[in-house]
Amino acid sequence: MKTPAKAPKSKLKRDAIAALYAQLAKERPDPKTELHYSNPYTLLVAVALSAQTTDIAVNKATNGLFAAADTPAKMVALGEKKVADFIKTIGLWRIKAKNVIALSRLLLEHHGGEVPRDRDALTALPGVGRKTANVVLNEAFGEPTIAVDTHIFRVSNRTGLAPGKTPDQVEAILDRVTPSAYKQGAHHWLILHGRYVCDARKPACWRCGIANLCHYKPKTPNPADQVKTLKHKAKL
């Protein structure tokens, strides 16, 4: 018989994990999504629109969209064509416009126009996957969920906090090892760290507050120090 594969686990010890989150919390005491929204419904739509698109691009598109329709009923009344006109600047806008209208109809038909506080109910909506559902549960309802996007996937693997081959594996490890005191903010801390420090192409290790805990090697040197070295060599 084949031996079952061992479940992936964190490369960091418990104290190091707590220290990592403590530092991220110190840097960003009140982490929040950078998507603009005014209620759980507009948050749901914004997150669904953000797939394969930046938050900045989504915010530009939804400023006009949400001014015209900030409830499922208003969105359905607006219609797919007008929704598409508002979001043409973002990726996959045709299918996203179709999904926004479809999920709005289902919210009206099955949930009284309210966004359900339930992952299964959320993922049953068109264009809403587990990641989107987790963001909505965390941001709108205060649930300690962690939605693994590309930033969290990268940071979790680079640091050794949650080395997984798939987003589901990473989420399972993070859910298991993240101290309860940090679970509510973990999702945002990891995303923002990946977005502004642990860049995909060139992580800013020289200004990273958790570099001493991170398993990523080699650490990226400070470009300013490299320039100084080159100038020094040129003088010799």
Side-chain angles (χ1 to χ4, degrees):
M1 286 182 66
K2 214 174 183 181
T3 305
K6 290 184 178 179
K9 60 182 182 178
S10 179
K11 292 181 180 178
L12 303 181
K13 293 183 179 179
R14 186 179 299 177
D15 289 350
I17 293 171
L20 180 148
Y21 279 117
Q23 178 59 32
L24 295 180
K26 180 181 178 182
E27 293 171 5
R28 294 182 173 88
D30 188 28
K32 293 185 180 297
T33 181
E34 293 184 323
L35 290 169
H36 296 167
Y37 71 96
S38 58
N39 54 42
Y41 171 70
T42 52
L43 173 65
L44 173 64
V45 172
V47 179
L49 293 177
S50 71
Q52 299 182 44
T53 307
T54 65
D55 287 1
I56 293 173
V58 172
N59 288 337
K60 286 180 180 177
T62 57
N63 281 341
L65 176 63
F66 293 157
D70 60 357
T71 67
K74 290 179 183 178
M75 196 69 74
V76 170
L78 191 63
E80 185 178 327
K81 187 179 182 303
K82 288 185 179 179
V83 171
D85 287 339
F86 278 112
I87 66 171
K88 276 185 177 178
T89 53
I90 67 175
L92 306 174
W93 58 272
R94 287 186 180 86
I95 186 64
K96 288 178 179 178
K98 184 177 181 179
N99 285 338
V100 166
I101 293 299
L103 73 83
S104 298
R105 282 203 180 101
L106 286 179
L107 288 176
L108 290 169
E109 293 170 4
H110 300 295
H111 303 285
E114 299 294 324
V115 175
R117 187 174 180 170
D118 178 83
R119 185 185 285 113
D120 289 340
L122 285 168
T123 55
L125 299 171
V128 178
R130 185 179 179 88
K131 184 183 78 172
T132 297
N134 280 349
V135 173
V136 172
L137 290 171
N138 180 283
E139 183 74 16
F141 300 115
E143 300 284 349
T145 53
I146 302 175
V148 179
D149 70 346
T150 55
H151 295 301
I152 291 184
F153 188 81
R154 178 174 66 255
V155 171
S156 297
N157 275 282
R158 272 185 180 165
T159 59
L161 174 63
K165 293 182 179 180
T166 66
D168 285 349
Q169 282 187 351
V170 170
E171 182 186 337
I173 300 169
L174 289 173
D175 190 55
R176 191 166 62 245
V177 305
T178 301
S180 57
Y182 297 112
K183 271 197 175 179
Q184 179 59 40
H187 165 77
H188 296 303
W189 286 318
L190 294 172
I191 280 182
L192 296 172
H193 188 72
R195 184 172 291 164
Y196 297 113
V197 181
C198 197
D199 183 75
R201 293 185 179 180
K202 196 172 185 180
C205 301
W206 69 92
R207 60 181 179 84
C208 174
I210 59 173
N212 62 314
L213 302 166
C214 175
H215 280 231
Y216 177 73
K217 293 179 182 179
K219 296 289 192 292
T220 309
N222 189 337
D225 292 339
Q226 291 179 303
V227 171
K228 289 178 183 177
T229 301
L230 289 172
K231 287 181 177 179
H232 177 71
K233 287 182 177 179
K235 291 180 180 179
L236 296 177

